[in-house]
Amino acid sequence: YRASDGTEVRVIIVQKGGSAFGVGLDACEICGIAGYYERGDEDVVCRRCDVVMNKNTIGFRGGCNPIPFPYEVRDSKLYIDVKELERHEKRFK
């Protein structure tokens, strides 16, 4: 997402199974804006510290984990309020 000031705000979304999603910023409190990548079909890995995380923890606070923020699932679609992304743009500067 490109914020109103031009900052790119990155988001990570993983499907945990069924209609359950893990949603967070592609950044964490510990490693900053380094972000994550998917290795193989299962592993989500931090680009800075190389920690492999359990996908089921994405969407929860703590450790090297994507920073969670509110979202909704309606009619099998995921909705993110743009105001939430704008609120976090400062993290990506």
Side-chain angles (χ1 to χ4, degrees), residues 76-91:
S76 301
K77 294 180 183 173
L78 192 135
Y79 293 88
I80 297 171
D81 188 338
V82 171
K83 292 178 209 164
E84 282 299 320
L85 299 178
E86 290 285 339
R87 189 170 71 84
H88 290 288
E89 55 85 18
K90 63 186 171 292
R91 293 183 184 274

Side-chain angles (χ1 to χ4, degrees), residues 8 35 44 65 68 79:
E8 182 183 53
V44 175
N65 231 344
Y79 293 88

Side-chain angles (χ1 to χ4, degrees), residues 40-80:
D41 291 335
E42 293 299 318
D43 295 336
V44 175
V45 182
C46 176
R47 293 183 187 276
R48 177 156 297 138
C49 72
D50 205 38
V51 70
V52 177
M53 65 196 63
N54 180 329
K55 283 186 179 180
N56 289 322
T57 67
I58 296 174
F60 295 98
R61 293 201 174 277
C64 183
N65 231 344
I67 300 166
F69 60 87
Y71 67 94
E72 291 183 48
V73 177
R74 291 178 297 197
D75 301 321
S76 301
K77 294 180 183 173
L78 192 135
Y79 293 88
I80 297 171

Side-chain angles (χ1 to χ4, degrees), residues 18-36:
S19 62
F21 294 92
V23 179
L25 298 176
D26 189 23
C28 83
E29 299 289 347
I30 298 170
C31 294
I33 63 170
Y36 303 89

